[in-house]
Amino acid sequence: RPLSDLDQHIFIEMRKLAFFLSLFLLFSCSQKNDIRIEGELENGNGRTLHLSLLTPDGLQKLDSSVVRHNSFKFNIRQKQLADFLATDEPGFFQLSLSADNGLTTLVKCGQTVHISADANRLIRTYRVQGPEDAVLMWQLDSALAAFAQYTDTLLQIYQYYMDNDSVRSEVERRYNQATVAHQQFLRDFITKHSRSFSSMIAFYQVYNQHRFFDEKEDAELLRMLTDSLGVDYFNSQYVRYLQSRLDL
């Protein structure tokens, strides 16, 4: 029988509802795979914060944003990363205000990272809340910052007592001792977290152009790390990079 005006109205409204519901579900699903990096930057109001993805081929610029009211927020869609990352693969994301003022965090699709820092010294002051990989990256940066602060103090003492052989000798002893201790911290970190990409950063960590590990001398450690990461991320660009370094 022909639909009444009321039936036709109800039918049309139900079709509208179904259409908008499907859009909502589609939008919700896409949001679940987004990466959110947000936070607060003291002394950052009005400054431009840049977001890039660190790949074996270099930095890929993704976005930039002006810090408003000392706050920032980036929302990265999975399709923006499709050419660089697998769906379940973490990526190294760099936040920078200038070439020498930035930090790198580790996050994958569907995760949110919250960062707070002093904009004048990002790497030395930042704190992070979020997934384990991001926290591990912060632990590495914090340990390196502590090492840098200690050795900077030793350098000042060394320069002040340049003519005192005994003081200089003691400073050199303490510097070597601190270097060995930090290297051991990194080795233990890699062993404990060998299935996290943060351990790549630990292996290649550098201070004043000094590497704590050498690809040849520490090839056994690098191979263990490569094999461990390959268990979960055998198609990862980062794992392929490590394998290429082992093959040299």
Side-chain angles (χ1 to χ4, degrees):
R1 83 182 160 81
L3 293 175
S4 67
D5 290 343
L6 178 59
D7 290 336
Q8 289 181 356
H9 178 73
I10 292 175
F11 178 72
I12 292 172
E13 292 302 318
M14 288 183 65
R15 290 187 63 180
K16 288 181 180 179
L17 179 62
F19 174 73
F20 286 115
L21 181 60
S22 64
L23 284 181
F24 173 77
L25 291 174
L26 180 63
F27 180 70
S28 297
C29 290
S30 66
Q31 277 195 321
K32 289 180 181 178
N33 290 323
D34 289 352
I35 290 175
R36 292 182 62 186
I37 302 176
E38 60 188 21
E40 299 83 36
L41 293 183
E42 183 182 355
N43 300 314
N45 196 42
R47 300 169 71 171
T48 300
L49 186 64
H50 302 276
L51 175 68
S52 302
L53 177 68
L54 179 61
T55 76
D57 296 324
L59 284 176
Q60 301 291 333
K61 295 181 180 179
L62 298 176
D63 202 356
S64 62
S65 177
V66 176
V67 179
R68 303 293 186 190
H69 306 293
N70 287 336
S71 297
F72 70 92
K73 181 184 294 185
F74 290 104
N75 201 66
I76 310 108
R77 296 292 177 86
Q78 183 181 347
K79 63 182 181 181
Q80 289 179 259
L81 307 171
D83 292 337
F84 309 109
L85 297 177
T87 303
D88 61 344
E89 179 185 11
F92 294 100
F93 293 88
Q94 184 186 87
L95 293 170
S96 62
L97 290 166
S98 64
D100 59 354
N101 187 15
L103 63 89
T104 302
T105 190
L106 183 58
V107 59
K108 64 182 178 180
C109 290
Q111 295 181 333
T112 297
V113 174
H114 188 95
I115 292 171
S116 59
D118 183 339
N120 295 326
R121 297 186 306 158
L122 290 179
I123 193 68
R124 292 273 184 121
T125 63
Y126 88 96
R127 297 289 184 271
V128 65
Q129 292 177 314
E132 182 183 16
D133 281 338
V135 174
L136 290 175
M137 289 289 289
W138 170 74
Q139 290 177 357
L140 284 174
D141 288 332
S142 297
L144 183 60
F147 173 81
Q149 183 175 8
Y150 180 71
T151 55
D152 286 349
T153 300
L154 290 179
L155 178 60
Q156 291 174 8
I157 296 173
Y158 187 93
Q159 292 174 336
Y160 187 82
Y161 290 96
M162 186 66 71
D163 297 327
N164 190 317
D165 290 344
S166 62
V167 172
R168 284 171 43 233
S169 177
E170 177 63 15
V171 168
E172 290 173 358
R173 185 188 71 81
R174 294 197 181 194
Y175 173 80
N176 292 333
Q177 188 179 53
T179 301
V180 170
H182 186 71
Q183 185 183 49
Q184 186 60 51
F185 162 78
L186 294 174
R187 187 179 296 276
D188 293 342
F189 183 99
I190 293 168
T191 302
K192 183 177 180 180
H193 304 292
S194 61
R195 294 176 75 165
S196 168
F197 281 122
S198 61
S199 288
M200 282 185 61
I201 301 300
F203 187 88
Y204 287 105
Q205 196 175 78
V206 177
Y207 176 68
N208 279 352
Q209 300 182 334
H210 169 75
R211 289 180 178 268
F212 294 97
F213 296 110
D214 179 83
E215 290 176 333
K216 296 297 184 183
E217 295 179 6
D218 300 288
E220 184 177 346
L221 181 64
L222 182 58
R223 185 172 299 281
M224 181 277 293
L225 175 59
T226 305
D227 291 343
S228 295
L229 291 174
V231 172
D232 297 319
Y233 307 106
F234 58 92
N235 284 325
S236 165
Q237 58 171 333
Y238 301 119
V239 173
R240 290 197 298 270
Y241 172 79
L242 292 179
Q243 290 169 338
S244 71
R245 302 308 301 173
L246 284 169
D247 294 337
L248 292 178

